[in-house]
Amino acid sequence: QQQVKQSPQSLIVQKGGIPIINCAYENTAFDYFPWYQQFPGKGPALLIAIRPDVSEKKEGRFTISFNKSAKQFSLHIMDSQPGDSATYFCAASRSQGAQKLVFGQGTRLTINP
Amino acid sequence: DADVTQTPRNRITKTGKRIMLECSQTKGHDRMYWYRQDPGLGLRLIYYSFDVKDINKGEISDGYSVSRQAQAKFSLSLESAIPNQTALYFCATSDQTGFGGEQFFGPGTRLTVL
């Protein structure tokens, strides 16, 4: 049972393009939605996170868009660079209690020079 | 993240062998987690611990056991390894403050079971 579904599985974009990665969740009790970035040979690291009381959050070139009614959220990377090439994971959890993260399947992003 | 270390980084073993993966952290966090990563499946939670006396099963705990030896140490054991336990294993930590709880991951252990 995959509570968080992520797409696409892989994505190739030219430098300067805007890759978009999408996630959908099922559990309406989730109220914390982070994105993690993973480089080869490294563990995932928190990139940006959003709460459901806002529809968008920006941090530098990274933006999360959130649609509560559709139970979907997405990551946009503006002016993408080759250094952004990594695997990206969306996740969801309840902000209180156990705070267990449920991860999406991951997206391998390649930014070509 | 150098604050979370995992040993070994790579391990090849045979079916039926007992394997222990170790995790140590210097972040002072109470909460520790073990995940496995498989291509196309993302990260799945195996076990988590909120303190030395509090250990909980995650999504895929069958075939695994854990030990929280101290606040800073959390070990994952495969009592009798099987080939479908071949995966990348990550330890993570968090504290209970802050909304949602950012998790800090170690560098991972690549385990191959032949």
Side-chain angles (χ1 to χ4, degrees), chain A residues 9 31-32 36 38 41 43-44 46 51 89 95 97-101 103-105, chain B residues 9 31 35 37 40 42-43 45 48 50 90 98-103 105-107:
Chain A
Q9 191 168 3
D31 62 355
Y32 174 69
Y36 280 76
Q38 183 185 30
L46 180 65
R51 307 180 189 188
F89 294 97
S95 61
Q99 298 179 335
K100 292 185 295 180
L101 286 173
F103 284 88
Q105 297 91 327
Chain B
R9 294 294 313 277
R31 300 182 174 193
Y35 293 90
Q37 181 179 351
L43 293 103
L45 183 63
Y48 62 103
F50 286 173
F90 287 101
F99 191 95
E102 177 181 358
Q103 293 188 16
F105 286 79

PDB file of all heavy atoms in Angstrom, chain A residues 9 31-32 36 38 41 43-44 46 51 89 95 97-101 103-105, chain B residues 9 31 35 37 40 42-43 45 48 50 90 98-103 105-107:
ATOM      1  N   GLN A   9       9.074   8.831 -12.438  1.00  0.00           N
ATOM      2  CA  GLN A   9      10.151   8.063 -11.828  1.00  0.00           C
ATOM      3  C   GLN A   9      11.506   8.636 -12.219  1.00  0.00           C
ATOM      4  O   GLN A   9      12.453   8.585 -11.451  1.00  0.00           O
ATOM      5  CB  GLN A   9      10.037   6.607 -12.260  1.00  0.00           C
ATOM      6  CG  GLN A   9      10.934   5.661 -11.491  1.00  0.00           C
ATOM      7  CD  GLN A   9      10.590   4.217 -11.750  1.00  0.00           C
ATOM      8  OE1 GLN A   9       9.699   3.899 -12.550  1.00  0.00           O
ATOM      9  NE2 GLN A   9      11.281   3.306 -11.082  1.00  0.00           N
ATOM     10  N   ASP A  31      -0.252  16.288   7.713  1.00  0.00           N
ATOM     11  CA  ASP A  31      -0.230  17.744   7.717  1.00  0.00           C
ATOM     12  C   ASP A  31       1.181  18.308   7.662  1.00  0.00           C
ATOM     13  O   ASP A  31       1.430  19.445   8.072  1.00  0.00           O
ATOM     14  CB  ASP A  31      -0.991  18.294   8.937  1.00  0.00           C
ATOM     15  CG  ASP A  31      -0.367  17.857  10.255  1.00  0.00           C
ATOM     16  OD1 ASP A  31       0.586  17.058  10.235  1.00  0.00           O
ATOM     17  OD2 ASP A  31      -0.834  18.334  11.297  1.00  0.00           O
ATOM     18  N   TYR A  32       2.094  17.519   7.175  1.00  0.00           N
ATOM     19  CA  TYR A  32       3.477  17.982   7.001  1.00  0.00           C
ATOM     20  C   TYR A  32       4.015  17.296   5.765  1.00  0.00           C
ATOM     21  O   TYR A  32       3.973  16.059   5.661  1.00  0.00           O
ATOM     22  CB  TYR A  32       4.296  17.627   8.248  1.00  0.00           C
ATOM     23  CG  TYR A  32       5.774  17.919   8.132  1.00  0.00           C
ATOM     24  CD1 TYR A  32       6.253  19.223   8.091  1.00  0.00           C
ATOM     25  CD2 TYR A  32       6.702  16.881   8.087  1.00  0.00           C
ATOM     26  CE1 TYR A  32       7.604  19.482   7.994  1.00  0.00           C
ATOM     27  CE2 TYR A  32       8.057  17.126   7.992  1.00  0.00           C
ATOM     28  CZ  TYR A  32       8.497  18.439   7.959  1.00  0.00           C
ATOM     29  OH  TYR A  32       9.834  18.700   7.871  1.00  0.00           O
ATOM     30  N   TYR A  36      12.832  15.711   0.163  1.00  0.00           N
ATOM     31  CA  TYR A  36      14.218  15.381   0.460  1.00  0.00           C
ATOM     32  C   TYR A  36      14.995  15.235  -0.846  1.00  0.00           C
ATOM     33  O   TYR A  36      14.459  14.743  -1.846  1.00  0.00           O
ATOM     34  CB  TYR A  36      14.306  14.089   1.281  1.00  0.00           C
ATOM     35  CG  TYR A  36      14.018  14.284   2.763  1.00  0.00           C
ATOM     36  CD1 TYR A  36      12.721  14.454   3.228  1.00  0.00           C
ATOM     37  CD2 TYR A  36      15.062  14.314   3.683  1.00  0.00           C
ATOM     38  CE1 TYR A  36      12.476  14.648   4.579  1.00  0.00           C
ATOM     39  CE2 TYR A  36      14.823  14.503   5.040  1.00  0.00           C
ATOM     40  CZ  TYR A  36      13.518  14.671   5.487  1.00  0.00           C
ATOM     41  OH  TYR A  36      13.271  14.863   6.824  1.00  0.00           O
ATOM     42  N   GLN A  38      18.575  13.708  -2.530  1.00  0.00           N
ATOM     43  CA  GLN A  38      19.621  12.714  -2.296  1.00  0.00           C
ATOM     44  C   GLN A  38      20.606  12.690  -3.450  1.00  0.00           C
ATOM     45  O   GLN A  38      20.227  12.435  -4.596  1.00  0.00           O
ATOM     46  CB  GLN A  38      19.011  11.325  -2.106  1.00  0.00           C
ATOM     47  CG  GLN A  38      20.037  10.238  -1.788  1.00  0.00           C
ATOM     48  CD  GLN A  38      19.402   8.860  -1.723  1.00  0.00           C
ATOM     49  OE1 GLN A  38      18.411   8.574  -2.394  1.00  0.00           O
ATOM     50  NE2 GLN A  38      19.972   7.986  -0.901  1.00  0.00           N
ATOM     51  N   GLY A  41      25.524   8.240  -3.319  1.00  0.00           N
ATOM     52  CA  GLY A  41      26.428   7.909  -2.232  1.00  0.00           C
ATOM     53  C   GLY A  41      26.155   8.635  -0.928  1.00  0.00           C
ATOM     54  O   GLY A  41      26.920   8.490   0.032  1.00  0.00           O
ATOM     55  N   GLY A  43      23.071  10.152   2.048  1.00  0.00           N
ATOM     56  CA  GLY A  43      21.724   9.997   2.549  1.00  0.00           C
ATOM     57  C   GLY A  43      20.860  11.167   2.119  1.00  0.00           C
ATOM     58  O   GLY A  43      21.360  12.231   1.764  1.00  0.00           O
ATOM     59  N   PRO A  44      19.539  10.985   2.137  1.00  0.00           N
ATOM     60  CA  PRO A  44      18.638  12.096   1.814  1.00  0.00           C
ATOM     61  C   PRO A  44      18.808  13.237   2.810  1.00  0.00           C
ATOM     62  O   PRO A  44      19.145  13.022   3.978  1.00  0.00           O
ATOM     63  CB  PRO A  44      17.254  11.460   1.943  1.00  0.00           C
ATOM     64  CG  PRO A  44      17.479   9.994   1.825  1.00  0.00           C
ATOM     65  CD  PRO A  44      18.820   9.740   2.419  1.00  0.00           C
ATOM     66  N   LEU A  46      16.859  17.093   3.958  1.00  0.00           N
ATOM     67  CA  LEU A  46      15.668  17.932   3.800  1.00  0.00           C
ATOM     68  C   LEU A  46      15.971  19.115   2.891  1.00  0.00           C
ATOM     69  O   LEU A  46      16.945  19.842   3.088  1.00  0.00           O
ATOM     70  CB  LEU A  46      15.186  18.422   5.160  1.00  0.00           C
ATOM     71  CG  LEU A  46      13.941  19.308   5.125  1.00  0.00           C
ATOM     72  CD1 LEU A  46      12.736  18.521   4.625  1.00  0.00           C
ATOM     73  CD2 LEU A  46      13.663  19.889   6.514  1.00  0.00           C
ATOM     74  N   ARG A  51       3.361  23.180   5.127  1.00  0.00           N
ATOM     75  CA  ARG A  51       2.198  22.792   5.902  1.00  0.00           C
ATOM     76  C   ARG A  51       0.959  23.043   5.049  1.00  0.00           C
ATOM     77  O   ARG A  51       0.981  23.894   4.165  1.00  0.00           O
ATOM     78  CB  ARG A  51       2.100  23.625   7.177  1.00  0.00           C
ATOM     79  CG  ARG A  51       3.345  23.640   8.019  1.00  0.00           C
ATOM     80  CD  ARG A  51       3.137  24.500   9.243  1.00  0.00           C
ATOM     81  NE  ARG A  51       4.372  24.733   9.983  1.00  0.00           N
ATOM     82  CZ  ARG A  51       4.417  25.315  11.163  1.00  0.00           C
ATOM     83  NH1 ARG A  51       3.315  25.730  11.750  1.00  0.00           N
ATOM     84  NH2 ARG A  51       5.589  25.497  11.778  1.00  0.00           N
ATOM     85  N   PHE A  89      12.755  12.931  -3.211  1.00  0.00           N
ATOM     86  CA  PHE A  89      11.679  12.178  -2.571  1.00  0.00           C
ATOM     87  C   PHE A  89      10.692  13.145  -1.934  1.00  0.00           C
ATOM     88  O   PHE A  89      11.098  14.028  -1.172  1.00  0.00           O
ATOM     89  CB  PHE A  89      12.213  11.273  -1.454  1.00  0.00           C
ATOM     90  CG  PHE A  89      13.100  10.157  -1.923  1.00  0.00           C
ATOM     91  CD1 PHE A  89      14.475  10.289  -1.898  1.00  0.00           C
ATOM     92  CD2 PHE A  89      12.550   8.969  -2.376  1.00  0.00           C
ATOM     93  CE1 PHE A  89      15.293   9.255  -2.322  1.00  0.00           C
ATOM     94  CE2 PHE A  89      13.359   7.921  -2.800  1.00  0.00           C
ATOM     95  CZ  PHE A  89      14.738   8.068  -2.775  1.00  0.00           C
ATOM     96  N   SER A  95       2.125  15.968  11.891  1.00  0.00           N
ATOM     97  CA  SER A  95       3.084  16.827  12.573  1.00  0.00           C
ATOM     98  C   SER A  95       3.206  16.504  14.056  1.00  0.00           C
ATOM     99  O   SER A  95       4.207  16.855  14.677  1.00  0.00           O
ATOM    100  CB  SER A  95       2.664  18.291  12.415  1.00  0.00           C
ATOM    101  OG  SER A  95       1.388  18.497  13.001  1.00  0.00           O
ATOM    102  N   GLY A  97       2.665  13.623  17.452  1.00  0.00           N
ATOM    103  CA  GLY A  97       2.766  12.196  17.728  1.00  0.00           C
ATOM    104  C   GLY A  97       4.024  11.602  17.142  1.00  0.00           C
ATOM    105  O   GLY A  97       5.106  12.168  17.244  1.00  0.00           O
ATOM    106  N   ALA A  98       3.901  10.467  16.519  1.00  0.00           N
ATOM    107  CA  ALA A  98       5.058   9.715  16.060  1.00  0.00           C
ATOM    108  C   ALA A  98       5.819  10.402  14.924  1.00  0.00           C
ATOM    109  O   ALA A  98       6.992  10.133  14.707  1.00  0.00           O
ATOM    110  CB  ALA A  98       4.641   8.321  15.631  1.00  0.00           C
ATOM    111  N   GLN A  99       5.170  11.260  14.161  1.00  0.00           N
ATOM    112  CA  GLN A  99       5.818  11.990  13.058  1.00  0.00           C
ATOM    113  C   GLN A  99       6.524  11.038  12.086  1.00  0.00           C
ATOM    114  O   GLN A  99       7.605  11.339  11.581  1.00  0.00           O
ATOM    115  CB  GLN A  99       6.823  13.011  13.598  1.00  0.00           C
ATOM    116  CG  GLN A  99       6.186  14.096  14.460  1.00  0.00           C
ATOM    117  CD  GLN A  99       7.214  15.078  15.009  1.00  0.00           C
ATOM    118  OE1 GLN A  99       8.384  14.753  15.147  1.00  0.00           O
ATOM    119  NE2 GLN A  99       6.770  16.276  15.339  1.00  0.00           N
ATOM    120  N   LYS A 100       5.928   9.899  11.824  1.00  0.00           N
ATOM    121  CA  LYS A 100       6.542   8.943  10.900  1.00  0.00           C
ATOM    122  C   LYS A 100       6.391   9.431   9.470  1.00  0.00           C
ATOM    123  O   LYS A 100       5.299   9.718   9.016  1.00  0.00           O
ATOM    124  CB  LYS A 100       5.889   7.568  11.039  1.00  0.00           C
ATOM    125  CG  LYS A 100       6.162   6.877  12.365  1.00  0.00           C
ATOM    126  CD  LYS A 100       5.577   5.484  12.382  1.00  0.00           C
ATOM    127  CE  LYS A 100       4.059   5.513  12.312  1.00  0.00           C
ATOM    128  NZ  LYS A 100       3.501   4.134  12.339  1.00  0.00           N
ATOM    129  N   LEU A 101       7.506   9.512   8.769  1.00  0.00           N
ATOM    130  CA  LEU A 101       7.469   9.935   7.377  1.00  0.00           C
ATOM    131  C   LEU A 101       7.086   8.777   6.469  1.00  0.00           C
ATOM    132  O   LEU A 101       7.620   7.676   6.596  1.00  0.00           O
ATOM    133  CB  LEU A 101       8.833  10.473   6.950  1.00  0.00           C
ATOM    134  CG  LEU A 101       9.241  11.847   7.481  1.00  0.00           C
ATOM    135  CD1 LEU A 101      10.686  12.142   7.102  1.00  0.00           C
ATOM    136  CD2 LEU A 101       8.324  12.929   6.949  1.00  0.00           C
ATOM    137  N   PHE A 103       7.300   7.989   2.537  1.00  0.00           N
ATOM    138  CA  PHE A 103       7.990   8.529   1.367  1.00  0.00           C
ATOM    139  C   PHE A 103       7.325   8.090   0.069  1.00  0.00           C
ATOM    140  O   PHE A 103       6.762   6.995  -0.030  1.00  0.00           O
ATOM    141  CB  PHE A 103       9.446   8.060   1.352  1.00  0.00           C
ATOM    142  CG  PHE A 103      10.329   8.778   2.324  1.00  0.00           C
ATOM    143  CD1 PHE A 103      10.461   8.315   3.625  1.00  0.00           C
ATOM    144  CD2 PHE A 103      11.032   9.902   1.946  1.00  0.00           C
ATOM    145  CE1 PHE A 103      11.279   8.973   4.534  1.00  0.00           C
ATOM    146  CE2 PHE A 103      11.853  10.570   2.844  1.00  0.00           C
ATOM    147  CZ  PHE A 103      11.977  10.111   4.134  1.00  0.00           C
ATOM    148  N   GLY A 104       7.444   8.953  -0.937  1.00  0.00           N
ATOM    149  CA  GLY A 104       7.109   8.562  -2.292  1.00  0.00           C
ATOM    150  C   GLY A 104       8.220   7.709  -2.871  1.00  0.00           C
ATOM    151  O   GLY A 104       9.247   7.466  -2.240  1.00  0.00           O
ATOM    152  N   GLN A 105       8.023   7.275  -4.117  1.00  0.00           N
ATOM    153  CA  GLN A 105       8.927   6.312  -4.732  1.00  0.00           C
ATOM    154  C   GLN A 105      10.238   6.931  -5.193  1.00  0.00           C
ATOM    155  O   GLN A 105      11.197   6.214  -5.496  1.00  0.00           O
ATOM    156  CB  GLN A 105       8.241   5.635  -5.930  1.00  0.00           C
ATOM    157  CG  GLN A 105       7.019   4.814  -5.571  1.00  0.00           C
ATOM    158  CD  GLN A 105       5.750   5.625  -5.640  1.00  0.00           C
ATOM    159  OE1 GLN A 105       5.716   6.827  -5.370  1.00  0.00           O
ATOM    160  NE2 GLN A 105       4.681   4.954  -6.017  1.00  0.00           N
TER     161      GLN A 105
ATOM    162  N   ARG B   9      29.850   0.514   5.568  1.00  0.00           N
ATOM    163  CA  ARG B   9      29.266   1.235   4.439  1.00  0.00           C
ATOM    164  C   ARG B   9      28.848   0.272   3.335  1.00  0.00           C
ATOM    165  O   ARG B   9      27.893   0.523   2.606  1.00  0.00           O
ATOM    166  CB  ARG B   9      30.256   2.252   3.883  1.00  0.00           C
ATOM    167  CG  ARG B   9      30.587   3.389   4.827  1.00  0.00           C
ATOM    168  CD  ARG B   9      29.362   4.290   5.097  1.00  0.00           C
ATOM    169  NE  ARG B   9      28.661   4.651   3.885  1.00  0.00           N
ATOM    170  CZ  ARG B   9      29.023   5.643   3.096  1.00  0.00           C
ATOM    171  NH1 ARG B   9      30.061   6.392   3.406  1.00  0.00           N
ATOM    172  NH2 ARG B   9      28.325   5.920   2.000  1.00  0.00           N
ATOM    173  N   ARG B  31      15.182  10.570  18.883  1.00  0.00           N
ATOM    174  CA  ARG B  31      14.497   9.673  17.953  1.00  0.00           C
ATOM    175  C   ARG B  31      15.463   9.145  16.903  1.00  0.00           C
ATOM    176  O   ARG B  31      16.238   9.898  16.319  1.00  0.00           O
ATOM    177  CB  ARG B  31      13.332  10.404  17.291  1.00  0.00           C
ATOM    178  CG  ARG B  31      12.318  10.896  18.313  1.00  0.00           C
ATOM    179  CD  ARG B  31      11.134  11.568  17.671  1.00  0.00           C
ATOM    180  NE  ARG B  31      10.122  11.891  18.697  1.00  0.00           N
ATOM    181  CZ  ARG B  31       8.879  12.264  18.441  1.00  0.00           C
ATOM    182  NH1 ARG B  31       8.473  12.365  17.184  1.00  0.00           N
ATOM    183  NH2 ARG B  31       8.033  12.524  19.421  1.00  0.00           N
ATOM    184  N   TYR B  35      15.599   2.771   7.838  1.00  0.00           N
ATOM    185  CA  TYR B  35      14.865   2.661   6.578  1.00  0.00           C
ATOM    186  C   TYR B  35      15.646   1.750   5.626  1.00  0.00           C
ATOM    187  O   TYR B  35      16.858   1.626   5.710  1.00  0.00           O
ATOM    188  CB  TYR B  35      14.757   4.016   5.882  1.00  0.00           C
ATOM    189  CG  TYR B  35      13.912   5.057   6.564  1.00  0.00           C
ATOM    190  CD1 TYR B  35      14.474   5.935   7.490  1.00  0.00           C
ATOM    191  CD2 TYR B  35      12.555   5.187   6.266  1.00  0.00           C
ATOM    192  CE1 TYR B  35      13.694   6.911   8.098  1.00  0.00           C
ATOM    193  CE2 TYR B  35      11.778   6.160   6.868  1.00  0.00           C
ATOM    194  CZ  TYR B  35      12.359   7.015   7.781  1.00  0.00           C
ATOM    195  OH  TYR B  35      11.592   7.989   8.386  1.00  0.00           O
ATOM    196  N   GLN B  37      16.027   1.389   1.308  1.00  0.00           N
ATOM    197  CA  GLN B  37      15.726   2.044   0.045  1.00  0.00           C
ATOM    198  C   GLN B  37      15.888   1.031  -1.065  1.00  0.00           C
ATOM    199  O   GLN B  37      16.930   0.387  -1.189  1.00  0.00           O
ATOM    200  CB  GLN B  37      16.662   3.246  -0.191  1.00  0.00           C
ATOM    201  CG  GLN B  37      16.374   3.984  -1.482  1.00  0.00           C
ATOM    202  CD  GLN B  37      17.288   5.181  -1.682  1.00  0.00           C
ATOM    203  OE1 GLN B  37      18.028   5.580  -0.798  1.00  0.00           O
ATOM    204  NE2 GLN B  37      17.214   5.793  -2.847  1.00  0.00           N
ATOM    205  N   GLY B  40      12.556   2.351  -7.127  1.00  0.00           N
ATOM    206  CA  GLY B  40      11.136   2.353  -7.455  1.00  0.00           C
ATOM    207  C   GLY B  40      10.195   2.247  -6.269  1.00  0.00           C
ATOM    208  O   GLY B  40       8.980   2.334  -6.439  1.00  0.00           O
ATOM    209  N   GLY B  42      11.168   3.837  -3.086  1.00  0.00           N
ATOM    210  CA  GLY B  42      11.456   4.899  -2.136  1.00  0.00           C
ATOM    211  C   GLY B  42      12.080   4.364  -0.860  1.00  0.00           C
ATOM    212  O   GLY B  42      12.752   3.329  -0.863  1.00  0.00           O
ATOM    213  N   LEU B  43      11.857   5.068   0.230  1.00  0.00           N
ATOM    214  CA  LEU B  43      12.364   4.641   1.533  1.00  0.00           C
ATOM    215  C   LEU B  43      11.197   4.109   2.352  1.00  0.00           C
ATOM    216  O   LEU B  43      10.143   4.733   2.431  1.00  0.00           O
ATOM    217  CB  LEU B  43      13.015   5.803   2.281  1.00  0.00           C
ATOM    218  CG  LEU B  43      14.293   6.329   1.666  1.00  0.00           C
ATOM    219  CD1 LEU B  43      14.057   7.619   0.926  1.00  0.00           C
ATOM    220  CD2 LEU B  43      15.342   6.552   2.750  1.00  0.00           C
ATOM    221  N   LEU B  45      10.071   2.472   6.166  1.00  0.00           N
ATOM    222  CA  LEU B  45      10.470   2.444   7.570  1.00  0.00           C
ATOM    223  C   LEU B  45      10.475   1.015   8.103  1.00  0.00           C
ATOM    224  O   LEU B  45       9.472   0.292   7.993  1.00  0.00           O
ATOM    225  CB  LEU B  45       9.500   3.319   8.375  1.00  0.00           C
ATOM    226  CG  LEU B  45       9.778   3.484   9.855  1.00  0.00           C
ATOM    227  CD1 LEU B  45      11.124   4.185  10.079  1.00  0.00           C
ATOM    228  CD2 LEU B  45       8.654   4.279  10.506  1.00  0.00           C
ATOM    229  N   TYR B  48      11.570   2.169  14.443  1.00  0.00           N
ATOM    230  CA  TYR B  48      11.924   3.463  14.980  1.00  0.00           C
ATOM    231  C   TYR B  48      11.901   3.418  16.495  1.00  0.00           C
ATOM    232  O   TYR B  48      11.220   2.576  17.093  1.00  0.00           O
ATOM    233  CB  TYR B  48      11.014   4.575  14.440  1.00  0.00           C
ATOM    234  CG  TYR B  48       9.548   4.450  14.766  1.00  0.00           C
ATOM    235  CD1 TYR B  48       8.968   5.220  15.762  1.00  0.00           C
ATOM    236  CD2 TYR B  48       8.721   3.596  14.025  1.00  0.00           C
ATOM    237  CE1 TYR B  48       7.616   5.124  16.041  1.00  0.00           C
ATOM    238  CE2 TYR B  48       7.372   3.487  14.304  1.00  0.00           C
ATOM    239  CZ  TYR B  48       6.815   4.265  15.308  1.00  0.00           C
ATOM    240  OH  TYR B  48       5.472   4.168  15.588  1.00  0.00           O
ATOM    241  N   PHE B  50      12.011   6.059  20.045  1.00  0.00           N
ATOM    242  CA  PHE B  50      11.916   7.413  20.570  1.00  0.00           C
ATOM    243  C   PHE B  50      12.790   7.614  21.805  1.00  0.00           C
ATOM    244  O   PHE B  50      13.030   8.743  22.206  1.00  0.00           O
ATOM    245  CB  PHE B  50      10.472   7.776  20.873  1.00  0.00           C
ATOM    246  CG  PHE B  50       9.653   8.045  19.636  1.00  0.00           C
ATOM    247  CD1 PHE B  50       8.292   8.239  19.718  1.00  0.00           C
ATOM    248  CD2 PHE B  50      10.240   8.085  18.388  1.00  0.00           C
ATOM    249  CE1 PHE B  50       7.545   8.485  18.578  1.00  0.00           C
ATOM    250  CE2 PHE B  50       9.501   8.321  17.242  1.00  0.00           C
ATOM    251  CZ  PHE B  50       8.143   8.535  17.343  1.00  0.00           C
ATOM    252  N   PHE B  90      19.375   2.955   5.527  1.00  0.00           N
ATOM    253  CA  PHE B  90      19.687   4.251   6.104  1.00  0.00           C
ATOM    254  C   PHE B  90      19.197   4.336   7.541  1.00  0.00           C
ATOM    255  O   PHE B  90      18.094   3.892   7.872  1.00  0.00           O
ATOM    256  CB  PHE B  90      19.018   5.384   5.307  1.00  0.00           C
ATOM    257  CG  PHE B  90      19.655   5.647   3.991  1.00  0.00           C
ATOM    258  CD1 PHE B  90      19.103   5.159   2.817  1.00  0.00           C
ATOM    259  CD2 PHE B  90      20.822   6.401   3.915  1.00  0.00           C
ATOM    260  CE1 PHE B  90      19.687   5.404   1.595  1.00  0.00           C
ATOM    261  CE2 PHE B  90      21.421   6.649   2.692  1.00  0.00           C
ATOM    262  CZ  PHE B  90      20.856   6.143   1.538  1.00  0.00           C
ATOM    263  N   GLY B  98       9.908  21.176  16.915  1.00  0.00           N
ATOM    264  CA  GLY B  98       9.690  21.631  15.550  1.00  0.00           C
ATOM    265  C   GLY B  98       8.524  20.933  14.895  1.00  0.00           C
ATOM    266  O   GLY B  98       8.247  19.767  15.171  1.00  0.00           O
ATOM    267  N   PHE B  99       7.889  21.606  14.019  1.00  0.00           N
ATOM    268  CA  PHE B  99       6.722  21.063  13.337  1.00  0.00           C
ATOM    269  C   PHE B  99       7.141  19.972  12.376  1.00  0.00           C
ATOM    270  O   PHE B  99       7.965  20.186  11.510  1.00  0.00           O
ATOM    271  CB  PHE B  99       6.042  22.194  12.566  1.00  0.00           C
ATOM    272  CG  PHE B  99       4.688  21.826  12.033  1.00  0.00           C
ATOM    273  CD1 PHE B  99       3.559  22.138  12.751  1.00  0.00           C
ATOM    274  CD2 PHE B  99       4.548  21.182  10.818  1.00  0.00           C
ATOM    275  CE1 PHE B  99       2.298  21.808  12.266  1.00  0.00           C
ATOM    276  CE2 PHE B  99       3.301  20.856  10.318  1.00  0.00           C
ATOM    277  CZ  PHE B  99       2.179  21.169  11.052  1.00  0.00           C
ATOM    278  N   GLY B 100       6.570  18.795  12.511  1.00  0.00           N
ATOM    279  CA  GLY B 100       6.857  17.714  11.574  1.00  0.00           C
ATOM    280  C   GLY B 100       8.086  16.907  11.904  1.00  0.00           C
ATOM    281  O   GLY B 100       8.084  15.697  11.782  1.00  0.00           O
ATOM    282  N   GLY B 101       9.180  17.567  12.309  1.00  0.00           N
ATOM    283  CA  GLY B 101      10.363  16.812  12.693  1.00  0.00           C
ATOM    284  C   GLY B 101      11.278  16.470  11.554  1.00  0.00           C
ATOM    285  O   GLY B 101      11.157  15.423  10.938  1.00  0.00           O
ATOM    286  N   GLU B 102      12.221  17.354  11.236  1.00  0.00           N
ATOM    287  CA  GLU B 102      13.203  17.061  10.185  1.00  0.00           C
ATOM    288  C   GLU B 102      14.021  15.857  10.594  1.00  0.00           C
ATOM    289  O   GLU B 102      14.460  15.737  11.746  1.00  0.00           O
ATOM    290  CB  GLU B 102      14.129  18.255   9.971  1.00  0.00           C
ATOM    291  CG  GLU B 102      15.227  18.005   8.944  1.00  0.00           C
ATOM    292  CD  GLU B 102      16.145  19.196   8.768  1.00  0.00           C
ATOM    293  OE1 GLU B 102      15.907  20.231   9.419  1.00  0.00           O
ATOM    294  OE2 GLU B 102      17.099  19.085   7.974  1.00  0.00           O
ATOM    295  N   GLN B 103      14.241  14.961   9.653  1.00  0.00           N
ATOM    296  CA  GLN B 103      15.065  13.788   9.908  1.00  0.00           C
ATOM    297  C   GLN B 103      16.410  13.968   9.228  1.00  0.00           C
ATOM    298  O   GLN B 103      16.501  14.438   8.099  1.00  0.00           O
ATOM    299  CB  GLN B 103      14.364  12.515   9.435  1.00  0.00           C
ATOM    300  CG  GLN B 103      13.116  12.211  10.276  1.00  0.00           C
ATOM    301  CD  GLN B 103      12.488  10.877   9.973  1.00  0.00           C
ATOM    302  OE1 GLN B 103      13.098  10.006   9.351  1.00  0.00           O
ATOM    303  NE2 GLN B 103      11.253  10.696  10.421  1.00  0.00           N
ATOM    304  N   PHE B 105      19.758  12.039   7.968  1.00  0.00           N
ATOM    305  CA  PHE B 105      20.124  10.703   7.529  1.00  0.00           C
ATOM    306  C   PHE B 105      21.632  10.485   7.551  1.00  0.00           C
ATOM    307  O   PHE B 105      22.413  11.405   7.286  1.00  0.00           O
ATOM    308  CB  PHE B 105      19.613  10.460   6.107  1.00  0.00           C
ATOM    309  CG  PHE B 105      18.128  10.234   6.034  1.00  0.00           C
ATOM    310  CD1 PHE B 105      17.243  11.293   6.093  1.00  0.00           C
ATOM    311  CD2 PHE B 105      17.619   8.941   5.918  1.00  0.00           C
ATOM    312  CE1 PHE B 105      15.867  11.081   6.032  1.00  0.00           C
ATOM    313  CE2 PHE B 105      16.251   8.725   5.852  1.00  0.00           C
ATOM    314  CZ  PHE B 105      15.379   9.791   5.910  1.00  0.00           C
ATOM    315  N   GLY B 106      22.011   9.248   7.837  1.00  0.00           N
ATOM    316  CA  GLY B 106      23.388   8.832   7.676  1.00  0.00           C
ATOM    317  C   GLY B 106      23.708   8.570   6.216  1.00  0.00           C
ATOM    318  O   GLY B 106      22.843   8.702   5.347  1.00  0.00           O
ATOM    319  N   PRO B 107      24.941   8.148   5.928  1.00  0.00           N
ATOM    320  CA  PRO B 107      25.370   7.958   4.537  1.00  0.00           C
ATOM    321  C   PRO B 107      24.900   6.645   3.922  1.00  0.00           C
ATOM    322  O   PRO B 107      25.042   6.454   2.716  1.00  0.00           O
ATOM    323  CB  PRO B 107      26.893   7.988   4.635  1.00  0.00           C
ATOM    324  CG  PRO B 107      27.170   7.476   6.002  1.00  0.00           C
ATOM    325  CD  PRO B 107      26.052   7.975   6.868  1.00  0.00           C
TER     326      PRO B 107
END
